[in-house]
PDB file of all heavy atoms in Angstrom:
ATOM      1  N   ASN A  27     -35.838  73.175 -67.124  1.00 90.00           N
ATOM      2  CA  ASN A  27     -35.283  73.746 -68.342  1.00 90.00           C
ATOM      3  C   ASN A  27     -35.371  72.681 -69.425  1.00 90.00           C
ATOM      4  O   ASN A  27     -34.624  71.698 -69.404  1.00 90.00           O
ATOM      5  CB  ASN A  27     -33.832  74.180 -68.127  1.00 90.00           C
ATOM      6  CG  ASN A  27     -33.227  74.833 -69.344  1.00 90.00           C
ATOM      7  OD1 ASN A  27     -33.138  74.224 -70.407  1.00 90.00           O
ATOM      8  ND2 ASN A  27     -32.795  76.075 -69.178  1.00 90.00           N
ATOM      9  N   GLU A  28     -36.299  72.879 -70.347  1.00 92.00           N
ATOM     10  CA  GLU A  28     -36.558  71.886 -71.400  1.00 92.00           C
ATOM     11  C   GLU A  28     -35.317  71.623 -72.248  1.00 92.00           C
ATOM     12  O   GLU A  28     -34.993  70.488 -72.565  1.00 92.00           O
ATOM     13  CB  GLU A  28     -37.710  72.364 -72.293  1.00 92.00           C
ATOM     14  CG  GLU A  28     -38.153  71.359 -73.324  1.00 92.00           C
ATOM     15  CD  GLU A  28     -38.941  70.200 -72.743  1.00 92.00           C
ATOM     16  OE1 GLU A  28     -39.605  70.388 -71.704  1.00 92.00           O
ATOM     17  OE2 GLU A  28     -38.899  69.098 -73.327  1.00 92.00           O
ATOM     18  N   GLY A  29     -34.622  72.693 -72.630  1.00 94.00           N
ATOM     19  CA  GLY A  29     -33.441  72.558 -73.475  1.00 94.00           C
ATOM     20  C   GLY A  29     -32.323  71.761 -72.826  1.00 94.00           C
ATOM     21  O   GLY A  29     -31.635  70.993 -73.487  1.00 94.00           O
ATOM     22  N   LYS A  30     -32.156  71.940 -71.520  1.00 93.00           N
ATOM     23  CA  LYS A  30     -31.111  71.221 -70.793  1.00 93.00           C
ATOM     24  C   LYS A  30     -31.588  69.864 -70.295  1.00 93.00           C
ATOM     25  O   LYS A  30     -30.783  69.027 -69.903  1.00 93.00           O
ATOM     26  CB  LYS A  30     -30.612  72.059 -69.614  1.00 93.00           C
ATOM     27  CG  LYS A  30     -29.897  73.323 -70.046  1.00 93.00           C
ATOM     28  CD  LYS A  30     -29.383  74.109 -68.852  1.00 93.00           C
ATOM     29  CE  LYS A  30     -28.633  75.351 -69.313  1.00 93.00           C
ATOM     30  NZ  LYS A  30     -28.089  76.102 -68.171  1.00 93.00           N
ATOM     31  N   GLY A  31     -32.916  69.681 -70.271  1.00 91.00           N
ATOM     32  CA  GLY A  31     -33.473  68.416 -69.802  1.00 91.00           C
ATOM     33  C   GLY A  31     -33.268  68.179 -68.318  1.00 91.00           C
ATOM     34  O   GLY A  31     -33.171  67.046 -67.873  1.00 91.00           O
ATOM     35  N   LYS A  32     -33.196  69.268 -67.563  1.00 91.00           N
ATOM     36  CA  LYS A  32     -33.011  69.136 -66.115  1.00 91.00           C
ATOM     37  C   LYS A  32     -33.509  70.393 -65.413  1.00 91.00           C
ATOM     38  O   LYS A  32     -33.797  71.404 -66.045  1.00 91.00           O
ATOM     39  CB  LYS A  32     -31.543  68.897 -65.772  1.00 91.00           C
ATOM     40  CG  LYS A  32     -30.640  70.067 -66.128  1.00 91.00           C
ATOM     41  CD  LYS A  32     -29.188  69.790 -65.734  1.00 91.00           C
ATOM     42  CE  LYS A  32     -28.310  71.001 -65.998  1.00 91.00           C
ATOM     43  NZ  LYS A  32     -26.935  70.770 -65.558  1.00 91.00           N
ATOM     44  N   TYR A  33     -33.600  70.309 -64.084  1.00 89.00           N
ATOM     45  CA  TYR A  33     -33.955  71.474 -63.283  1.00 89.00           C
ATOM     46  C   TYR A  33     -32.731  72.364 -63.116  1.00 89.00           C
ATOM     47  O   TYR A  33     -31.611  71.881 -62.942  1.00 89.00           O
ATOM     48  CB  TYR A  33     -34.468  71.049 -61.900  1.00 89.00           C
ATOM     49  CG  TYR A  33     -35.854  70.483 -61.958  1.00 89.00           C
ATOM     50  CD1 TYR A  33     -36.067  69.119 -62.022  1.00 89.00           C
ATOM     51  CD2 TYR A  33     -36.957  71.320 -61.957  1.00 89.00           C
ATOM     52  CE1 TYR A  33     -37.346  68.601 -62.086  1.00 89.00           C
ATOM     53  CE2 TYR A  33     -38.241  70.816 -62.017  1.00 89.00           C
ATOM     54  CZ  TYR A  33     -38.429  69.449 -62.078  1.00 89.00           C
ATOM     55  OH  TYR A  33     -39.689  68.943 -62.141  1.00 89.00           O
ATOM     56  N   VAL A  34     -32.960  73.678 -63.166  1.00 90.00           N
ATOM     57  CA  VAL A  34     -31.892  74.654 -63.035  1.00 90.00           C
ATOM     58  C   VAL A  34     -32.254  75.595 -61.890  1.00 90.00           C
ATOM     59  O   VAL A  34     -33.399  76.048 -61.793  1.00 90.00           O
ATOM     60  CB  VAL A  34     -31.734  75.455 -64.355  1.00 90.00           C
ATOM     61  CG1 VAL A  34     -30.692  76.544 -64.206  1.00 90.00           C
ATOM     62  CG2 VAL A  34     -31.399  74.531 -65.502  1.00 90.00           C
ATOM     63  N   LEU A  35     -31.282  75.885 -61.036  1.00 85.00           N
ATOM     64  CA  LEU A  35     -31.505  76.823 -59.946  1.00 85.00           C
ATOM     65  C   LEU A  35     -31.683  78.220 -60.536  1.00 85.00           C
ATOM     66  O   LEU A  35     -30.883  78.672 -61.337  1.00 85.00           O
ATOM     67  CB  LEU A  35     -30.328  76.809 -58.968  1.00 85.00           C
ATOM     68  CG  LEU A  35     -30.452  77.749 -57.765  1.00 85.00           C
ATOM     69  CD1 LEU A  35     -31.655  77.386 -56.901  1.00 85.00           C
ATOM     70  CD2 LEU A  35     -29.178  77.735 -56.953  1.00 85.00           C
ATOM     71  N   THR A  36     -32.750  78.892 -60.140  1.00 84.00           N
ATOM     72  CA  THR A  36     -33.088  80.204 -60.656  1.00 84.00           C
ATOM     73  C   THR A  36     -33.257  81.158 -59.485  1.00 84.00           C
ATOM     74  O   THR A  36     -33.713  80.758 -58.419  1.00 84.00           O
ATOM     75  CB  THR A  36     -34.416  80.137 -61.445  1.00 84.00           C
ATOM     76  OG1 THR A  36     -34.299  79.101 -62.417  1.00 84.00           O
ATOM     77  CG2 THR A  36     -34.729  81.427 -62.130  1.00 84.00           C
ATOM     78  N   THR A  37     -32.873  82.416 -59.674  1.00 80.00           N
ATOM     79  CA  THR A  37     -33.070  83.420 -58.632  1.00 80.00           C
ATOM     80  C   THR A  37     -33.805  84.619 -59.204  1.00 80.00           C
ATOM     81  O   THR A  37     -33.785  84.848 -60.411  1.00 80.00           O
ATOM     82  CB  THR A  37     -31.726  83.892 -58.041  1.00 80.00           C
ATOM     83  OG1 THR A  37     -30.957  84.490 -59.073  1.00 80.00           O
ATOM     84  CG2 THR A  37     -30.962  82.748 -57.405  1.00 80.00           C
ATOM     85  N   ALA A  38     -34.448  85.370 -58.343  1.00 72.00           N
ATOM     86  CA  ALA A  38     -35.194  86.545 -58.766  1.00 72.00           C
ATOM     87  C   ALA A  38     -34.383  87.818 -58.617  1.00 72.00           C
ATOM     88  O   ALA A  38     -34.748  88.838 -59.149  1.00 72.00           O
ATOM     89  CB  ALA A  38     -36.478  86.672 -57.947  1.00 72.00           C
ATOM     90  N   ALA A  39     -33.291  87.766 -57.880  1.00 71.00           N
ATOM     91  CA  ALA A  39     -32.507  88.958 -57.601  1.00 71.00           C
ATOM     92  C   ALA A  39     -31.268  89.026 -58.482  1.00 71.00           C
ATOM     93  O   ALA A  39     -30.725  88.010 -58.889  1.00 71.00           O
ATOM     94  CB  ALA A  39     -32.090  88.978 -56.144  1.00 71.00           C
ATOM     95  N   THR A  40     -30.842  90.229 -58.728  1.00 72.00           N
ATOM     96  CA  THR A  40     -29.621  90.445 -59.492  1.00 72.00           C
ATOM     97  C   THR A  40     -28.490  90.927 -58.589  1.00 72.00           C
ATOM     98  O   THR A  40     -27.413  91.234 -59.073  1.00 72.00           O
ATOM     99  CB  THR A  40     -29.864  91.489 -60.595  1.00 72.00           C
ATOM    100  OG1 THR A  40     -30.324  92.699 -59.995  1.00 72.00           O
ATOM    101  CG2 THR A  40     -30.901  90.996 -61.600  1.00 72.00           C
ATOM    102  N   ARG A  41     -28.749  90.993 -57.283  1.00 74.00           N
ATOM    103  CA  ARG A  41     -27.763  91.467 -56.312  1.00 74.00           C
ATOM    104  C   ARG A  41     -27.583  90.446 -55.203  1.00 74.00           C
ATOM    105  O   ARG A  41     -28.342  89.504 -55.080  1.00 74.00           O
ATOM    106  CB  ARG A  41     -28.252  92.783 -55.686  1.00 74.00           C
ATOM    107  CG  ARG A  41     -28.397  93.909 -56.672  1.00 74.00           C
ATOM    108  CD  ARG A  41     -28.977  95.145 -56.006  1.00 74.00           C
ATOM    109  NE  ARG A  41     -30.259  94.931 -55.377  1.00 74.00           N
ATOM    110  CZ  ARG A  41     -31.415  94.859 -56.046  1.00 74.00           C
ATOM    111  NH1 ARG A  41     -31.433  94.967 -57.341  1.00 74.00           N
ATOM    112  NH2 ARG A  41     -32.535  94.678 -55.417  1.00 74.00           N
ATOM    113  N   VAL A  42     -26.604  90.694 -54.368  1.00 72.00           N
ATOM    114  CA  VAL A  42     -26.370  89.833 -53.217  1.00 72.00           C
ATOM    115  C   VAL A  42     -27.408  90.099 -52.132  1.00 72.00           C
ATOM    116  O   VAL A  42     -27.881  89.182 -51.477  1.00 72.00           O
ATOM    117  CB  VAL A  42     -24.946  90.044 -52.660  1.00 72.00           C
ATOM    118  CG1 VAL A  42     -24.752  89.264 -51.383  1.00 72.00           C
ATOM    119  CG2 VAL A  42     -23.915  89.637 -53.701  1.00 72.00           C
ATOM    120  N   ASP A  43     -27.793  91.360 -51.951  1.00 75.00           N
ATOM    121  CA  ASP A  43     -28.783  91.705 -50.928  1.00 75.00           C
ATOM    122  C   ASP A  43     -30.185  91.433 -51.481  1.00 75.00           C
ATOM    123  O   ASP A  43     -30.865  92.300 -51.989  1.00 75.00           O
ATOM    124  CB  ASP A  43     -28.628  93.155 -50.473  1.00 75.00           C
ATOM    125  CG  ASP A  43     -28.793  94.143 -51.613  1.00 75.00           C
ATOM    126  OD1 ASP A  43     -28.493  93.778 -52.759  1.00 75.00           O
ATOM    127  OD2 ASP A  43     -29.238  95.261 -51.350  1.00 75.00           O
ATOM    128  N   VAL A  44     -30.591  90.206 -51.394  1.00 71.00           N
ATOM    129  CA  VAL A  44     -31.804  89.715 -52.033  1.00 71.00           C
ATOM    130  C   VAL A  44     -33.065  90.256 -51.376  1.00 71.00           C
ATOM    131  O   VAL A  44     -33.184  90.269 -50.161  1.00 71.00           O
ATOM    132  CB  VAL A  44     -31.826  88.173 -51.987  1.00 71.00           C
ATOM    133  CG1 VAL A  44     -33.085  87.623 -52.606  1.00 71.00           C
ATOM    134  CG2 VAL A  44     -30.610  87.616 -52.676  1.00 71.00           C
TER     135      VAL A  44
END
Side-chain angles (χ1 to χ4, degrees):
N27 182 300
E28 186 74 28
K30 294 182 178 182
K32 65 179 184 177
Y33 286 96
V34 176
L35 181 62
T36 307
T37 61
T40 57
R41 297 176 302 282
V42 174
D43 59 331
V44 178

